[in-house]
Amino acid sequence: MATQPRPEAKSPPVSPRLPRRSARSPRKRADEVIEAAAAVFAQRGYHGATTQDIADRLHIRQASLYYYFSSKEDALESICQRGVEGFIEHASAAARAPGTACERLSLVIGSHLRATSEKHDFVRVFLSERQHLSDAARRRIGRLSARYEAIIQGIFEAGVASGELRGDLHCRLATLALLALCNSAAAWYGREPGVDLETIASNFSELLCAGVVSEAARATGPAAKRRTRRLA
């Protein structure tokens, strides 16, 4: 009896190859997580927010957050650190820039306000929630703030030394006044119709410099020259 030939084994059908998803880089995902935490803390406050709120905003499981930060307080410190990032570098550049002390202070005011706009949630959390950090974390963030303040105070002191700013100016208090003026914008920026960053920066600069410039500089400065041209 002849042997029946065996039927050939059929290969399983090959599934069509799906296009590969572009993998999100860990760095980008970490940025998204900390941005979500900043938005939640800015809206609800540190104590009013939970890690579940952050996870819900990202549409991920709560447990997944701990791949990016170890605790809610750790997230707060990262947010506060990002809230002051860039301020020191921009202030250092302003201090080295050519021009008068008032022109350099105007650069500081402009860069401060731009950062407030670009990193609004981070700056708001830094201003209103950093007191909830542990003592050690607060000291770390405080060192960054102190460096920024020292650069600004140095601009005031150089202006006093050159005679451009008033000799009786209290440079530490002037520094705190500049920061308070700029930080106030974080509470209302975007809610004043027709007021953009350039308008705020120029008005703040004029307001501040009008109070600190010396009489000698006032008599010979740009404003005095403009008045002279108008009278001519």
Side-chain angles (χ1 to χ4, degrees), residues 95-168:
R96 296 191 302 269
T100 65
C102 276
E103 288 168 342
R104 290 192 287 273
L105 290 169
S106 294
L107 290 175
V108 172
I109 290 171
S111 66
H112 191 114
L113 291 172
R114 279 192 299 276
T116 299
S117 170
E118 293 165 1
K119 305 189 298 182
H120 191 238
D121 289 336
F122 288 91
V123 174
R124 279 190 64 191
V125 172
F126 169 77
L127 293 174
S128 62
E129 305 298 326
R130 71 181 185 273
Q131 71 268 21
H132 302 305
L133 291 167
S134 67
D135 290 343
R138 202 158 49 241
R139 283 194 295 271
R140 287 191 290 270
I141 298 299
R143 283 194 288 270
L144 296 175
S145 298
R147 285 175 60 193
Y148 183 49
E149 293 170 9
I151 295 167
I152 298 171
Q153 185 169 332
I155 298 174
F156 279 113
E157 290 169 348
V160 171
S162 70
E164 182 192 346
L165 304 185
R166 289 171 17 215
D168 64 343

Side-chain angles (χ1 to χ4, degrees), residues 14-228:
V14 178
S15 301
R17 180 172 294 178
L18 297 174
R20 295 180 61 185
R21 292 183 181 177
S22 57
R24 182 179 283 140
S25 71
R27 173 67 182 180
K28 183 176 180 181
R29 188 55 171 165
D31 287 342
E32 290 172 351
V33 169
I34 208 68
E35 285 166 9
V40 170
F41 289 171
Q43 181 182 12
R44 297 174 177 264
Y46 176 72
H47 282 310
T50 67
T51 53
Q52 185 62 59
D53 294 327
I54 302 169
D56 289 345
R57 188 178 182 90
L58 292 161
H59 305 291
I60 63 174
R61 293 184 302 111
Q62 183 183 21
S64 300
L65 291 175
Y66 296 104
Y67 176 78
Y68 301 98
F69 50 77
S70 59
S71 65
K72 195 171 83 163
E73 186 187 313
D74 183 41
L76 177 61
E77 182 176 358
S78 295
I79 293 165
C80 290
Q81 185 171 348
R82 292 198 188 193
V84 296
E85 276 179 358
F87 284 84
I88 293 170
E89 292 77 9
H90 290 139
S92 296
R96 296 191 302 269
T100 65
C102 276
E103 288 168 342
R104 290 192 287 273
L105 290 169
S106 294
L107 290 175
V108 172
I109 290 171
S111 66
H112 191 114
L113 291 172
R114 279 192 299 276
T116 299
S117 170
E118 293 165 1
K119 305 189 298 182
H120 191 238
D121 289 336
F122 288 91
V123 174
R124 279 190 64 191
V125 172
F126 169 77
L127 293 174
S128 62
E129 305 298 326
R130 71 181 185 273
Q131 71 268 21
H132 302 305
L133 291 167
S134 67
D135 290 343
R138 202 158 49 241
R139 283 194 295 271
R140 287 191 290 270
I141 298 299
R143 283 194 288 270
L144 296 175
S145 298
R147 285 175 60 193
Y148 183 49
E149 293 170 9
I151 295 167
I152 298 171
Q153 185 169 332
I155 298 174
F156 279 113
E157 290 169 348
V160 171
S162 70
E164 182 192 346
L165 304 185
R166 289 171 17 215
D168 64 343
L169 183 67
H170 194 302
C171 293
R172 173 62 179 165
L173 293 183
T175 298
L176 296 177
L178 182 152
L179 292 172
L181 189 64
C182 290
N183 288 337
S184 70
W188 51 262
Y189 174 68
R191 297 205 297 269
E192 289 294 318
V195 178
D196 57 17
L197 278 178
E198 289 72 20
T199 302
I200 299 170
S202 63
N203 276 269
F204 279 10
S205 297
E206 289 176 12
L207 180 64
L208 181 82
C209 287
V212 300
V213 73
S214 68
E215 288 299 325
R218 201 185 304 276
T220 60
K225 291 177 182 177
R226 287 195 295 272
R227 288 195 297 271
T228 303

